[in-house]
């Protein structure tokens, strides 16, 4: 097993990985940009090294800087997390050249499956159904528009090196095509350092269902079941669950077979996700392969009992998968919501700033994968994901009830979050029935907004009555402090019984 691992990422996923390292007795090394100097992953790691200014292209996307830190720190291996360099085939190649182990698939598998266009070509050769679209990157705008004409609108422009909804645009007419092409290419370049795009036919109201796969270097490839990822805002997943409410045992077997077949064809090793679109008739179509650990991996962990990060590390160290596909039987139901620093009441505008206070939920079936802490300042330079709140229950109904309760317990001040949006979603009849699709949330958000806010529990002072209430609270706290000091023995602490009695007296004051 490895002695020391560098984590080439930030935020909650860096914290998740270093905790797995600690449980395995492996020392962890964090890297950070200038604005991340006080981040949670830096505070928790065994060692931490600065790698440059805030822009990711000058820090987290600089392969040579990360490799240099790994050498200076004496690391055996590098874990890329998700995002940034996680799906850049040049990164595992650089690790190999530098005598380091990359905890993920080899560069060749990443090129054949991680590239969206190459993955589609391989899927067709492996007899996996695909969504109609281009097999190669689009050369120019005119070519792309001509292809869209032949396919018929609506179409999707998608980044070849993309993921997480970055570099993706839905186009419904000729008039929209040129600005959508320009914006998608620009976003793809900023997110992945690659502005190439491809074109895909847009399917109307499908479910987005993905299969978690694992493969070792000894020829064993397994499916760990599916995740339902249809609740999305502008192609970005916000809620994931396992198992899917629409997937039958027969469909699960067929999709798992297709995913394993594709992984074998691409000589895949380590963790990966094969994504599919499923139509109303339960026909499934290959969408893409994410050659990395997914943001939503905790829901699979909850229903299988496996630690996917530890499994990644073990496979990278040369170990065999310790189980066969047939032995994996999902238990219960799990659901995850992504808590972002954003304001749903203001078109989901980012909400950076200092976290003044926070109360996090706990209790039966609740897990929080965290990347922040009280007093930390959320930067404006990166994806605003704060934490992932995961609930598990014996049934989908119990899971939703637990998640709803946990969201009611979650409070934060200083920034806005989307917690209120999830409280709304978890009461929607269509969601409760599992009648969702990839455009369902966008359609829901166009409906009249309920009287309650979609953001978190903390609201700004906006009325005279609010100000009066706060003034009264301040006065009451002052009186408590005066009474406490008056009742304190010289040089000692006041009696707790006396303090609580004084508070009760003050509570009864008008």
């Amino acid at each position: 097993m490895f002695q020391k691992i560098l984590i080439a990422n930030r935020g909650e996923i860096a914290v998740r990985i270093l905790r797995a390292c600690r449980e395995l007795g492996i020392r962890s090394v964090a890297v950070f940009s200038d604005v991340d100097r006080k981040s949670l992953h830096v505070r928790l790691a065994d060692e931490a090294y600065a790698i440059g200014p805030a822009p990711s292209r000058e820090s987290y996307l600089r392969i040579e800087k990360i490799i240099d830190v790994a050498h200076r720190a004496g690391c055996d291996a590098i874990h890329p997390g998700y995002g940034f360099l996680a799906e850049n085939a040049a990164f595992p190649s650089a690790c190999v050249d530098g005598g380091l182990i990359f905890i993920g698939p080899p560069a060749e598998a990443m090129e054949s499956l991680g590239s969206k266009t190459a993955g589609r070509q391989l899927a067709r050769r492996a007899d996996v159904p695909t969504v109609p679209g281009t097999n190669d990157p689009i050369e120019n705008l005119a070519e792309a528009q001509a292809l869209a004409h032949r396919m018929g609108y609506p179409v999707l422009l998608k980044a070849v090196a993309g993921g997480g909804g970055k570099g993706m645009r839905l186009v419904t007419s000729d008039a929209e095509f040129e600005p959508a092409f320009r914006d998608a290419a620009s976003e793809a370049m900023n997110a992945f350092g690659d502005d190439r795009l491809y074109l895909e036919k847009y399917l109307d109201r499908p479910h987005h269902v993905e299969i978690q796969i694992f493969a070792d270097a000894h020829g064993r490839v397994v499916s760990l079941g599916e995740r339902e990822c249809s609740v999305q805002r502008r192609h970005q997943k916000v809620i994931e669950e396992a198992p899917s409410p629409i997937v039958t045992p027969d469909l699960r077997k067929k999709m798992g077979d297709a995913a394993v077949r594709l992984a074998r064809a691409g000589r895949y090793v380590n963790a990966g996700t094969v994504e599919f679109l499923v139509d109303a008739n339960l026909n499934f179509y290959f969408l893409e392969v994410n050659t990395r650990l997914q943001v939503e991996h905790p829901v699979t962990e909850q229903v299988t009992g496996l630690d996917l990060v530890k499994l990644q590390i073990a496979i990278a160290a040369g170990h065999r998968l310790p189980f066969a596909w047939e032995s994996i039987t999902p238990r219960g139901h799990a659901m995850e919501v992504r808590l972002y620093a954003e304001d749903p009441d203001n078109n989901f505008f980012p909400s950076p700033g200092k976290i003044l206070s926070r109360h996090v939920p706990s209790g039966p079936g609740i897990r929080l994968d965290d990347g922040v802490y009280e007093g930390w300042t959320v930067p404006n330079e990166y994806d605003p994901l704060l934490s992932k709140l995961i609930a598990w229950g014996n049934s989908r109904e119990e899971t939703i009830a637990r998640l709803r309760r946990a969201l009611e317990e979650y409070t934060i001040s200083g920034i806005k979050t989307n917690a209120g949006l999830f409280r709304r979603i978890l009461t929607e009849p269509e969601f409760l029935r599992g009648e969702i699709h990839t455009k369902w949330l966008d359609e829901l958000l166009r409906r009249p907004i309920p009287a309650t806010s979609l953001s978190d529990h903390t609201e700004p002072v906006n009325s005279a009555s609010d100000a009066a209430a706060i003034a009264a609270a301040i006065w009451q706290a002052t009186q408590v402090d005066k009474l406490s000091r008056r009742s304190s023995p010289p040089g000692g602490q006041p009696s707790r019984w006396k303090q609580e009695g004084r508070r009760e007296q003050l509570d009864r004051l008008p």
Side-chain angles (χ1 to χ4, degrees):
M1 187 51 74
F2 305 117
Q3 299 299 309
K4 189 182 287 188
I5 291 175
L6 182 142
I7 302 162
N9 219 295
R10 63 179 301 279
E12 69 83 19
I13 188 58
V15 173
R16 168 73 183 90
I17 296 165
L18 71 86
R19 282 175 170 156
C21 289
R22 186 151 294 161
E23 291 178 19
L24 291 170
I26 299 170
R27 292 183 62 80
S28 59
V29 175
V31 292
F32 60 91
S33 69
D34 291 346
V35 295
D36 273 339
R37 183 173 294 274
K38 296 181 180 179
S39 291
L40 184 61
H41 76 284
V42 175
R43 297 178 67 175
L44 294 180
D46 295 305
E47 301 174 34
Y49 294 80
I51 53 170
S56 57
R57 294 178 69 179
E58 299 178 44
S59 50
Y60 294 106
L61 290 175
R62 295 291 298 273
I63 294 175
E64 72 282 2
K65 286 186 177 182
I66 293 170
I67 296 293
D68 177 62
V69 169
H71 285 148
R72 285 192 285 130
C75 295
D76 307 294
I78 296 180
H79 197 305
Y82 56 72
F84 293 133
L85 293 169
E87 293 182 280
N88 185 332
F91 194 28
S93 293
C95 289
V96 171
D97 292 343
L100 298 161
I101 300 295
F102 179 78
I103 301 176
E108 297 77 15
M110 196 177 284
E111 288 170 343
S112 63
L113 286 169
S115 164
K116 310 310 176 189
T117 50
R120 287 169 58 84
Q121 294 169 5
L122 188 61
R124 287 175 177 169
R125 293 198 298 270
D127 196 28
V128 176
T130 60
V131 179
T134 58
N135 291 326
D136 300 300
I138 298 164
E139 294 296 332
N140 54 60
L141 174 63
E143 176 196 354
Q145 203 154 10
L147 287 168
H149 269 298
R150 291 201 296 270
M151 291 172 61
Y153 291 106
V155 297
L156 281 174
L157 285 166
K158 302 179 74 172
V160 168
K166 300 289 194 303
M168 183 187 297
R169 293 294 184 277
L170 174 64
V171 188
T172 60
S173 67
D174 276 341
E176 298 175 8
F177 203 95
E178 184 173 351
F181 186 91
R182 182 179 60 250
D183 292 348
S186 175
E187 187 174 70
M189 175 58 76
N190 289 333
F192 312 112
D194 184 344
D195 65 354
R196 294 177 302 157
L197 305 175
Y198 72 103
L199 200 63
E200 189 174 87
K201 178 64 180 173
Y202 177 72
L203 296 181
D204 186 38
R205 300 185 170 214
H207 280 255
H208 186 145
V209 181
E210 61 189 26
I211 300 290
Q212 175 71 62
I213 58 168
F214 257 91
D216 63 26
H218 306 280
R220 174 171 281 182
V221 185
V222 301
S223 163
L224 301 185
E226 84 281 358
R227 294 185 288 257
E228 172 73 53
C229 305
S230 298
V231 181
Q232 305 176 7
R233 190 183 75 84
R234 298 178 182 174
H235 310 295
Q236 175 68 54
K237 304 166 190 173
V238 296
I239 298 181
E240 301 94 359
E241 60 183 299
S244 165
I246 66 157
V247 171
T248 64
D250 181 61
L251 180 58
R252 181 174 299 118
K253 179 68 165 58
K254 289 179 179 178
M255 293 177 71
D257 283 340
V260 168
R261 194 163 61 245
L262 182 58
R264 289 188 188 280
R267 297 181 179 178
Y268 199 81
V269 177
N270 216 279
T273 303
V274 184
E275 306 203 354
F276 297 94
L277 296 179
V278 182
D279 67 19
N281 298 315
L282 298 187
N283 298 309
F284 64 93
Y285 303 92
F286 169 74
L287 184 61
E288 62 188 27
V289 177
N290 285 303
T291 55
R292 55 172 167 80
L293 192 69
Q294 291 281 82
V295 179
E296 57 271 22
H297 75 275
V299 295
T300 297
E301 293 185 326
Q302 296 300 105
V303 298
T304 62
L306 297 169
D307 186 315
L308 301 195
V309 177
K310 289 182 182 177
L311 201 56
Q312 280 192 295
I313 293 170
I315 290 172
H319 296 201
R320 295 176 181 271
L321 279 168
F323 51 81
W325 178 7
E326 296 76 13
S327 67
I328 301 300
T329 304
R331 185 178 68 87
H333 201 98
M335 191 173 291
E336 171 185 293
V337 298
R338 303 186 186 190
L339 294 166
Y340 285 97
E342 60 186 14
D343 185 0
D345 296 327
N346 186 25
N347 198 30
F348 295 88
F349 200 75
S351 180
K354 188 174 183 178
I355 299 174
L356 300 178
S357 65
R358 194 172 71 122
H359 175 77
V360 297
S362 58
I366 298 302
R367 165 180 169 179
L368 188 71
D369 279 21
D370 229 350
V372 301
Y373 58 90
E374 189 173 301
W376 183 63
T377 299
V378 180
N380 196 36
E381 286 83 1
Y382 309 113
D383 184 89
L385 179 64
L386 303 172
S387 312
K388 300 180 310 198
L389 180 60
I390 305 105
W392 179 91
N394 287 299
S395 65
R396 189 171 189 263
E397 293 73 21
E398 182 178 47
T399 299
I400 290 173
R402 284 179 167 175
L403 188 54
R404 195 155 43 200
R405 182 261 299 167
L407 284 164
E408 290 296 337
E409 293 179 10
Y410 180 85
T411 59
I412 194 165
S413 66
I415 61 171
K416 295 282 190 177
T417 76
N418 58 347
L421 171 63
F422 296 124
R423 288 193 287 270
R424 177 187 178 187
I425 290 173
L426 296 182
T427 63
E428 289 292 327
E430 293 163 320
F431 180 82
L432 297 178
R433 294 193 298 266
E435 297 171 0
I436 50 179
H437 51 80
T438 55
K439 299 300 290 183
W440 177 80
L441 180 55
D442 289 331
E443 293 174 1
L444 175 69
L445 293 175
R446 288 195 289 269
R447 300 176 195 170
I449 299 175
T452 56
S453 169
L454 294 183
S455 57
D456 51 74
H457 288 305
T458 304
E459 298 295 335
V461 178
N462 54 16
S463 70
S465 61
D466 287 339
I470 291 174
I474 293 171
W475 176 85
Q476 182 170 333
T478 303
Q479 298 308 305
V480 169
D481 182 63
K482 287 179 179 178
L483 287 169
S484 296
R485 281 188 277 111
R486 192 184 309 159
S487 60
S488 299
Q493 292 296 319
S495 162
R496 285 292 302 275
W497 291 103
K498 189 172 290 186
Q499 280 185 312
E500 294 304 318
R502 296 292 189 186
R503 283 196 175 88
E504 288 179 7
Q505 291 174 17
L506 288 165
D507 287 342
R508 290 194 288 272
L509 292 175

